[in-house]
Protein backbone atom coordinates (compact mmCIF):
# COMPACT_ATOMS: atom_id res chain seq x y z
CA UNK A 1 0.00 0.00 0.00
CA UNK A 2 1.34 3.42 -0.95
CA UNK A 3 1.91 5.88 1.84
CA UNK A 4 -0.55 8.77 1.80
CA UNK A 5 1.00 12.23 1.76
CA UNK A 6 -0.23 14.32 4.69
CA UNK A 7 -0.01 18.10 4.78
CA UNK A 8 0.22 20.28 7.88
CA UNK A 9 -2.91 22.15 8.98
CA UNK A 10 -1.57 25.58 8.01
CA UNK A 11 -0.95 24.27 4.47
CA UNK A 12 -4.57 23.10 4.20
CA UNK A 13 -5.94 26.43 5.42
CA UNK A 14 -3.68 28.30 3.00
CA UNK A 15 -5.02 26.25 0.10
CA UNK A 16 -8.60 26.83 1.28
CA UNK A 17 -8.04 30.60 1.47
CA UNK A 18 -6.44 30.68 -1.97
CA UNK A 19 -9.36 28.65 -3.35
CA UNK A 20 -11.84 31.10 -1.81
CA UNK A 21 -9.97 34.08 -3.30
CA UNK A 22 -9.86 32.44 -6.74
CA UNK A 23 -13.54 31.47 -6.57
CA UNK A 24 -14.52 35.01 -5.48
CA UNK A 25 -12.55 36.48 -8.42
CA UNK A 26 -14.34 34.14 -10.84
CA UNK A 27 -17.77 34.92 -9.34
CA UNK A 28 -17.14 38.66 -9.54
CA UNK A 29 -15.74 38.59 -13.07
CA UNK A 30 -18.55 36.42 -14.47
CA UNK A 31 -21.37 38.04 -12.44
CA UNK A 32 -23.24 39.24 -15.54
CA UNK A 33 -23.70 35.60 -16.60
CA UNK A 34 -23.82 33.82 -13.24
CA UNK A 35 -26.52 36.04 -11.65
CA UNK A 36 -29.24 35.31 -14.26
CA UNK A 37 -28.01 31.70 -14.41
CA UNK A 38 -28.48 31.34 -10.63
CA UNK A 39 -31.95 32.88 -10.66
CA UNK A 40 -32.89 30.73 -13.64
CA UNK A 41 -31.72 27.63 -11.74
CA UNK A 42 -33.72 28.53 -8.60
CA UNK A 43 -36.91 29.44 -10.45
CA UNK A 44 -36.62 26.29 -12.57
CA UNK A 45 -36.55 24.20 -9.37
CA UNK A 46 -39.57 26.09 -8.04
CA UNK A 47 -41.57 25.68 -11.25
CA UNK A 48 -40.62 22.05 -11.96
CA UNK A 49 -43.35 20.51 -9.71
CA UNK A 50 -45.99 22.48 -11.63
CA UNK A 51 -44.51 21.33 -14.93
CA UNK A 52 -44.72 17.75 -13.66
CA UNK A 53 -48.40 18.31 -12.82
CA UNK A 54 -49.16 19.37 -16.38
CA UNK A 55 -47.29 16.38 -17.78
CA UNK A 56 -49.32 14.09 -15.48
CA UNK A 57 -52.47 15.65 -16.98
CA UNK A 58 -51.30 14.54 -20.44
CA UNK A 59 -49.69 17.76 -21.68
CA UNK A 60 -46.30 17.17 -23.39
CA UNK A 61 -43.33 18.42 -21.35
CA UNK A 62 -42.16 21.29 -23.59
CA UNK A 63 -45.66 22.84 -23.94
CA UNK A 64 -46.05 22.34 -20.18
CA UNK A 65 -42.84 24.31 -19.58
CA UNK A 66 -44.00 27.26 -21.67
CA UNK A 67 -47.46 27.24 -20.05
CA UNK A 68 -45.94 27.29 -16.55
CA UNK A 69 -43.44 30.04 -17.42
CA UNK A 70 -46.25 32.17 -18.88
CA UNK A 71 -48.40 31.61 -15.78
CA UNK A 72 -45.47 32.55 -13.53
CA UNK A 73 -44.91 35.82 -15.36
CA UNK A 74 -48.63 36.61 -15.26
CA UNK A 75 -48.41 36.35 -11.46
CA UNK A 76 -45.26 38.51 -11.35
CA UNK A 77 -46.83 40.93 -13.82
CA UNK A 78 -49.90 41.21 -11.59
CA UNK A 79 -47.71 42.17 -8.62
CA UNK A 80 -45.78 44.70 -10.71
CA UNK A 81 -49.04 46.17 -12.03
CA UNK A 82 -50.32 46.58 -8.46
CA UNK A 83 -47.12 48.40 -7.43
CA UNK A 84 -47.27 50.52 -10.61
CA UNK A 85 -50.79 51.78 -9.88
CA UNK A 86 -49.75 52.53 -6.31
CA UNK A 87 -46.89 54.61 -7.69
CA UNK A 88 -49.30 56.44 -10.02
CA UNK A 89 -51.18 57.77 -7.00
CA UNK A 90 -47.88 58.83 -5.49
CA UNK A 91 -46.85 60.55 -8.74
CA UNK A 92 -50.10 62.54 -8.87
CA UNK A 93 -49.09 64.13 -5.56
CA UNK A 94 -45.66 65.14 -6.88
CA UNK A 95 -46.34 68.90 -6.56
CA UNK A 96 -47.32 68.60 -2.89
CA UNK A 97 -44.39 66.27 -2.35
CA UNK A 98 -41.88 68.68 -3.92
CA UNK A 99 -43.32 71.66 -2.05
CA UNK A 100 -42.95 69.81 1.24
CA UNK A 101 -39.38 68.78 0.40
CA UNK A 102 -38.55 72.42 -0.38
CA UNK A 103 -39.97 73.49 2.99
CA UNK A 104 -37.89 70.88 4.79
CA UNK A 105 -34.82 71.96 2.81
CA UNK A 106 -35.33 75.59 3.83
CA UNK A 107 -35.82 74.59 7.48
CA UNK A 108 -32.58 72.57 7.41
CA UNK A 109 -30.75 75.53 5.87
CA UNK A 110 -31.96 77.87 8.64
CA UNK A 111 -31.02 75.30 11.31
CA UNK A 112 -27.50 74.87 9.88
CA UNK A 113 -27.05 78.64 9.73
CA UNK A 114 -28.26 79.21 13.31
CA UNK A 115 -26.51 76.15 14.82
CA UNK A 116 -23.20 76.05 12.95
CA UNK A 117 -22.94 79.46 11.29
CA UNK A 118 -22.89 78.02 7.74
CA UNK A 119 -24.14 80.76 5.39
CA UNK A 120 -27.01 80.15 2.98
CA UNK A 121 -24.84 80.97 -0.03
CA UNK A 122 -22.24 78.40 1.01
CA UNK A 123 -24.95 75.77 1.55
CA UNK A 124 -26.51 76.44 -1.86
CA UNK A 125 -23.09 76.21 -3.50
CA UNK A 126 -22.48 72.83 -1.86
CA UNK A 127 -25.88 71.56 -3.06
CA UNK A 128 -25.20 72.78 -6.62
CA UNK A 129 -21.82 71.04 -6.64
CA UNK A 130 -23.47 67.84 -5.42
CA UNK A 131 -26.17 68.01 -8.11
CA UNK A 132 -23.51 68.68 -10.74
CA UNK A 133 -21.57 65.61 -9.62
CA UNK A 134 -24.68 63.42 -9.93
CA UNK A 135 -25.39 64.31 -13.57
CA UNK A 136 -23.06 61.56 -14.74
CA UNK A 137 -25.26 59.02 -12.95
CA UNK A 138 -28.21 59.69 -15.28
CA UNK A 139 -26.60 57.69 -18.07
CA UNK A 140 -25.65 54.99 -15.59
CA UNK A 141 -29.30 54.65 -14.49
CA UNK A 142 -30.37 54.11 -18.11
CA UNK A 143 -27.57 51.59 -18.60
CA UNK A 144 -28.60 49.73 -15.43
CA UNK A 145 -32.21 49.65 -16.65
CA UNK A 146 -31.22 48.00 -19.94
CA UNK A 147 -28.94 45.62 -18.03
CA UNK A 148 -31.85 44.66 -15.77
CA UNK A 149 -34.15 44.01 -18.74
CA UNK A 150 -31.41 41.96 -20.39
CA UNK A 151 -30.99 39.92 -17.21
CA UNK A 152 -34.74 39.28 -17.04
CA UNK A 153 -34.64 37.92 -20.58
CA UNK A 154 -31.64 35.71 -19.70
CA UNK A 155 -33.42 34.41 -16.58
CA UNK A 156 -36.41 33.39 -18.71
CA UNK A 157 -34.12 31.63 -21.20
CA UNK A 158 -32.24 29.80 -18.42
CA UNK A 159 -35.49 28.75 -16.72
CA UNK A 160 -36.71 27.17 -19.95
CA UNK A 161 -33.34 25.54 -20.66
CA UNK A 162 -33.01 24.08 -17.16
CA UNK A 163 -36.53 22.66 -17.34
CA UNK A 164 -36.04 21.19 -20.82
CA UNK A 165 -32.65 19.62 -20.03
CA UNK A 166 -33.38 18.70 -16.41
CA UNK A 167 -32.70 14.97 -16.91
CA UNK A 168 -29.46 15.74 -18.75
CA UNK A 169 -28.09 17.74 -15.80
CA UNK A 170 -29.24 15.14 -13.24
CA UNK A 171 -27.66 12.27 -15.19
CA UNK A 172 -24.44 14.26 -15.50
CA UNK A 173 -24.25 14.56 -11.69
CA UNK A 174 -24.48 10.77 -11.41
CA UNK A 175 -22.08 10.03 -14.29
CA UNK A 176 -19.30 12.37 -13.15
CA UNK A 177 -18.93 10.60 -9.78
CA UNK A 178 -18.12 7.01 -8.90
CA UNK A 179 -21.15 4.68 -8.68
CA UNK A 180 -20.46 4.04 -4.97
CA UNK A 181 -21.37 7.69 -4.32
CA UNK A 182 -24.76 7.38 -6.05
CA UNK A 183 -26.72 7.32 -2.79
CA UNK A 184 -25.01 10.45 -1.51
CA UNK A 185 -25.55 12.26 -4.83
CA UNK A 186 -29.26 11.37 -4.73
CA UNK A 187 -29.53 12.73 -1.18
CA UNK A 188 -27.67 15.95 -2.04
CA UNK A 189 -29.84 16.61 -5.11
CA UNK A 190 -33.09 15.78 -3.31
CA UNK A 191 -32.31 17.73 -0.13
CA UNK A 192 -31.01 20.73 -2.10
CA UNK A 193 -34.17 20.76 -4.21
CA UNK A 194 -36.40 20.47 -1.15
CA UNK A 195 -34.43 23.18 0.69
CA UNK A 196 -34.67 25.66 -2.19
CA UNK A 197 -38.37 25.01 -2.81
CA UNK A 198 -39.33 25.18 0.86
CA UNK A 199 -37.15 28.22 1.59
CA UNK A 200 -38.32 30.35 -1.34
CA UNK A 201 -41.97 29.33 -0.88
CA UNK A 202 -41.62 30.19 2.82
CA UNK A 203 -40.16 33.59 1.92
CA UNK A 204 -43.12 34.21 -0.41
CA UNK A 205 -45.62 33.43 2.36
CA UNK A 206 -43.63 35.59 4.79
CA UNK A 207 -43.61 38.47 2.29
CA UNK A 208 -47.40 38.31 1.85
CA UNK A 209 -48.03 38.21 5.62
CA UNK A 210 -45.59 41.05 6.34
CA UNK A 211 -46.99 43.12 3.47
CA UNK A 212 -50.49 42.87 4.97
CA UNK A 213 -49.27 43.59 8.52
CA UNK A 214 -47.10 46.54 7.44
CA UNK A 215 -49.84 48.10 5.31
CA UNK A 216 -52.47 47.67 8.05
CA UNK A 217 -50.22 49.24 10.68
CA UNK A 218 -49.33 52.21 8.45
CA UNK A 219 -52.99 52.74 7.52
CA UNK A 220 -53.93 52.84 11.21
CA UNK A 221 -51.16 55.38 11.88
CA UNK A 222 -52.40 57.52 8.98
CA UNK A 223 -49.20 57.36 6.92
CA UNK A 224 -49.71 58.35 3.29
CA UNK A 225 -49.33 55.60 0.67
CA UNK A 226 -49.41 53.00 3.43
CA UNK A 227 -50.07 50.07 1.08
CA UNK A 228 -47.22 51.00 -1.28
CA UNK A 229 -44.76 51.44 1.60
CA UNK A 230 -46.01 48.27 3.32
CA UNK A 231 -45.53 46.16 0.19
CA UNK A 232 -42.10 47.64 -0.56
CA UNK A 233 -41.09 47.07 3.07
CA UNK A 234 -42.14 43.42 2.82
CA UNK A 235 -40.12 42.97 -0.38
CA UNK A 236 -36.89 44.53 0.97
CA UNK A 237 -37.39 42.51 4.16
CA UNK A 238 -36.34 39.47 2.11
CA UNK A 239 -32.79 40.82 2.31
CA UNK A 240 -31.58 39.61 5.73
CA UNK A 241 -30.70 42.31 8.28
CA UNK A 242 -30.10 45.11 5.74
CA UNK A 243 -33.71 44.94 4.48
CA UNK A 244 -35.01 45.81 7.96
CA UNK A 245 -33.09 49.10 7.97
CA UNK A 246 -34.51 50.06 4.59
CA UNK A 247 -38.00 48.91 5.60
CA UNK A 248 -38.23 51.18 8.66
CA UNK A 249 -36.70 54.12 6.79
CA UNK A 250 -39.49 54.21 4.16
CA UNK A 251 -42.46 55.05 6.45
CA UNK A 252 -40.37 57.50 8.52
CA UNK A 253 -39.25 59.33 5.37
CA UNK A 254 -42.80 59.44 4.00
CA UNK A 255 -44.20 60.76 7.27
CA UNK A 256 -41.53 63.48 7.60
CA UNK A 257 -42.08 64.60 4.01
CA UNK A 258 -45.90 64.67 4.11
CA UNK A 259 -46.43 66.01 7.65
CA UNK A 260 -45.17 68.59 10.08
CA UNK A 261 -41.85 67.47 11.51
CA UNK A 262 -41.91 66.12 15.05
CA UNK A 263 -39.96 63.42 16.85
CA UNK A 264 -42.90 61.57 18.41
CA UNK A 265 -44.33 59.89 15.30
CA UNK A 266 -41.01 58.52 13.99
CA UNK A 267 -40.46 56.93 17.42
CA UNK A 268 -43.93 55.36 17.19
CA UNK A 269 -43.15 54.09 13.68
CA UNK A 270 -39.87 52.54 14.87
CA UNK A 271 -41.67 50.92 17.85
CA UNK A 272 -44.44 49.48 15.64
CA UNK A 273 -41.99 48.30 12.99
CA UNK A 274 -39.78 46.69 15.65
CA UNK A 275 -42.82 44.89 17.06
CA UNK A 276 -43.72 43.57 13.61
CA UNK A 277 -40.10 42.46 13.10
CA UNK A 278 -40.17 40.58 16.42
CA UNK A 279 -43.41 38.91 15.32
CA UNK A 280 -41.75 38.04 12.03
CA UNK A 281 -38.51 36.75 13.58
CA UNK A 282 -40.01 34.75 16.46
CA UNK A 283 -43.37 33.59 15.07
CA UNK A 284 -43.65 33.81 11.27
CA UNK A 285 -40.10 32.83 10.27
CA UNK A 286 -39.89 29.80 12.62
CA UNK A 287 -43.25 28.56 11.33
CA UNK A 288 -42.90 29.05 7.59
CA UNK A 289 -39.19 29.60 6.80
CA UNK A 290 -36.83 28.38 9.52
CA UNK A 291 -35.33 24.92 9.20
CA UNK A 292 -35.42 25.03 5.40
CA UNK A 293 -31.91 26.48 5.09
CA UNK A 294 -30.36 26.08 8.53
CA UNK A 295 -27.48 28.57 8.53
CA UNK A 296 -26.38 30.29 11.73
CA UNK A 297 -26.53 34.07 12.21
CA UNK A 298 -22.77 34.61 11.85
CA UNK A 299 -22.55 33.01 8.42
CA UNK A 300 -25.87 34.56 7.41
CA UNK A 301 -24.47 38.07 7.99
CA UNK A 302 -21.13 37.12 6.46
CA UNK A 303 -22.83 35.55 3.43
CA UNK A 304 -25.09 38.57 2.90
CA UNK A 305 -22.15 40.99 3.05
CA UNK A 306 -19.98 38.83 0.79
CA UNK A 307 -22.87 38.29 -1.64
CA UNK A 308 -23.52 42.04 -1.71
CA UNK A 309 -19.84 42.77 -2.39
CA UNK A 310 -19.72 40.27 -5.26
CA UNK A 311 -23.18 40.50 -6.84
CA UNK A 312 -24.97 43.45 -5.19
CA UNK A 313 -28.58 43.02 -4.03
CA UNK A 314 -28.92 39.80 -6.06
CA UNK A 315 -25.97 38.35 -4.17
CA UNK A 316 -27.53 39.26 -0.81
CA UNK A 317 -30.61 37.23 -1.66
CA UNK A 318 -28.82 34.29 -3.29
CA UNK A 319 -26.11 33.96 -0.64
CA UNK A 320 -28.38 32.29 1.94
CA UNK A 321 -29.58 29.71 -0.58
CA UNK A 322 -26.05 28.89 -1.72
CA UNK A 323 -24.83 28.60 1.87
CA UNK A 324 -27.67 26.17 2.56
CA UNK A 325 -26.72 24.05 -0.46
CA UNK A 326 -23.05 24.09 0.58
CA UNK A 327 -24.06 22.92 4.04
CA UNK A 328 -26.02 20.00 2.54
CA UNK A 329 -23.04 19.02 0.35
CA UNK A 330 -20.59 19.25 3.26
CA UNK A 331 -22.84 17.05 5.42
CA UNK A 332 -22.65 14.22 2.87
CA UNK A 333 -18.85 14.26 2.47
CA UNK A 334 -16.94 12.78 5.37
CA UNK A 335 -13.94 15.10 5.24
CA UNK A 336 -16.10 18.24 4.99
CA UNK A 337 -18.55 17.56 7.84
CA UNK A 338 -16.77 20.00 10.21
CA UNK A 339 -17.48 22.80 7.71
CA UNK A 340 -21.17 21.85 7.65
CA UNK A 341 -21.23 22.00 11.43
CA UNK A 342 -19.70 25.48 11.63
CA UNK A 343 -22.12 26.84 8.99
CA UNK A 344 -25.17 25.21 10.59
CA UNK A 345 -27.32 26.57 13.40
CA UNK A 346 -26.83 23.65 15.81
CA UNK A 347 -24.30 24.15 18.62
Amino acid sequence: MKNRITFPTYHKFTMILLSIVLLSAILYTLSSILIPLSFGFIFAILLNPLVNKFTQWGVPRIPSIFIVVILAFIVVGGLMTFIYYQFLGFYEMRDVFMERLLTIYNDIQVWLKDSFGIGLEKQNQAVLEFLESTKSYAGQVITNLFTFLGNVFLVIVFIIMFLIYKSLFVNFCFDVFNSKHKENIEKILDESKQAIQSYVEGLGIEMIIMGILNSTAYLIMGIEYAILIGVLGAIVNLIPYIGGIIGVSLPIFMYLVMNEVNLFMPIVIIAVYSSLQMLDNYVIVPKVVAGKVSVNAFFTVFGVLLGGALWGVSGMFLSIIFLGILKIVFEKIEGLKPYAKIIGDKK
Side-chain angles (χ1 to χ4, degrees):
M1 180 181 292
K2 295 182 179 180
N3 294 328
R4 293 181 60 184
I5 300 175
T6 58
F7 296 98
T9 303
Y10 71 86
H11 185 278
K12 294 179 181 179
F13 276 106
T14 301
M15 295 304 295
I16 291 171
L17 288 174
L18 287 174
S19 300
I20 291 173
V21 171
L22 179 61
L23 178 62
S24 298
I26 294 172
L27 291 175
Y28 182 79
T29 304
L30 301 179
S31 60
S32 60
I33 299 173
L34 294 178
I35 291 174
L37 179 71
S38 299
F39 277 110
F41 172 70
I42 290 169
F43 287 128
I45 290 177
L46 292 174
L47 296 177
N48 187 62
L50 193 54
V51 173
N52 292 337
K53 282 288 183 184
F54 275 95
T55 56
Q56 289 172 7
W57 295 336
V59 182
R61 183 165 180 84
I62 291 183
S64 297
I65 291 170
F66 283 97
I67 292 171
V68 168
V69 171
I70 291 170
L71 289 175
F73 276 88
I74 288 175
V75 173
V76 174
L79 176 61
M80 297 302 294
T81 301
F82 170 78
I83 295 175
Y84 169 75
Y85 279 109
Q86 290 292 315
F87 266 114
L88 277 185
F90 179 74
Y91 181 74
E92 290 173 358
M93 295 289 291
R94 62 190 181 280
D95 294 335
V96 176
F97 185 76
M98 293 304 297
E99 183 180 347
R100 182 59 188 152
L101 278 178
L102 185 60
T103 302
I104 293 174
Y105 172 70
N106 291 332
D107 291 342
I108 292 174
Q109 279 195 312
V110 172
W111 178 74
L112 289 173
K113 182 176 181 297
D114 294 341
S115 301
F116 301 99
I118 304 174
L120 297 180
E121 184 177 345
K122 190 173 182 180
Q123 292 182 45
N124 290 330
Q125 182 64 31
V127 172
L128 288 174
E129 289 176 358
F130 172 76
L131 292 175
E132 189 69 26
S133 66
T134 58
K135 284 184 179 179
S136 60
Y137 290 104
Q140 187 176 345
V141 170
I142 296 174
T143 302
N144 289 339
L145 177 61
F146 280 107
T147 301
F148 172 76
L149 294 175
N151 284 341
V152 170
F153 174 75
L154 284 177
V155 169
I156 297 172
V157 171
F158 283 131
I159 290 172
I160 295 172
M161 292 296 102
F162 275 123
L163 289 172
I164 290 175
Y165 296 107
K166 171 197 165 185
S167 59
L168 184 67
F169 291 117
V170 172
N171 290 334
F172 169 79
C173 292
F174 288 118
D175 293 340
V176 78
F177 293 102
N178 194 298
S179 58
K180 67 180 182 179
H181 299 301
K182 181 179 179 181
E183 185 178 346
N184 272 348
I185 298 300
E186 285 180 348
K187 288 181 179 179
I188 289 172
L189 292 176
D190 186 60
E191 290 182 22
S192 298
K193 180 188 70 174
Q194 293 297 329
I196 292 172
Q197 289 176 344
S198 301
Y199 181 70
V200 178
E201 287 170 5
L203 286 180
I205 295 171
E206 180 198 10
M207 184 179 68
I208 293 171
I209 294 173
M210 290 305 297
I212 294 171
L213 292 176
N214 287 343
S215 301
T216 303
Y218 300 153
L219 283 169
I220 292 173
M221 288 188 286
I223 298 174
E224 286 81 356
Y225 307 103
I227 296 177
L228 174 62
I229 296 174
V231 171
L232 291 178
I235 293 173
V236 299
N237 190 53
L238 297 179
I239 305 173
Y241 301 101
I242 297 171
I245 299 173
I246 301 172
V248 73
S249 302
L250 293 173
I252 292 175
F253 176 77
M254 183 59 67
Y255 175 80
L256 293 177
V257 169
M258 301 301 291
N259 299 275
E260 292 298 324
V261 177
N262 68 77
L263 295 177
F264 175 72
M265 197 61 182
I267 293 173
V268 173
I269 293 172
I270 292 173
V272 170
Y273 187 85
S274 299
S275 300
L276 292 176
Q277 285 297 300
M278 289 179 64
L279 178 66
D280 181 37
N281 293 332
Y282 294 105
V283 178
I284 298 173
V285 170
K287 293 292 184 183
V288 300
V289 181
K292 313 306 181 187
V293 179
S294 302
V295 179
N296 64 54
F298 175 85
F299 276 93
T300 298
V301 175
F302 177 76
V304 168
L305 294 176
L306 180 61
L310 293 174
W311 289 356
V313 176
S314 299
M316 292 180 179
F317 175 77
L318 292 168
S319 60
I320 308 301
I321 296 175
F322 288 151
L323 277 173
I325 294 174
L326 272 179
K327 178 175 171 288
I328 292 170
V329 173
F330 291 163
E331 286 174 340
K332 300 297 181 290
I333 300 175
E334 189 62 37
L336 298 178
K337 285 185 178 180
Y339 299 100
K341 188 174 181 180
I342 197 173
I343 293 174
D345 58 358
K346 294 180 181 179
K347 296 182 181 179

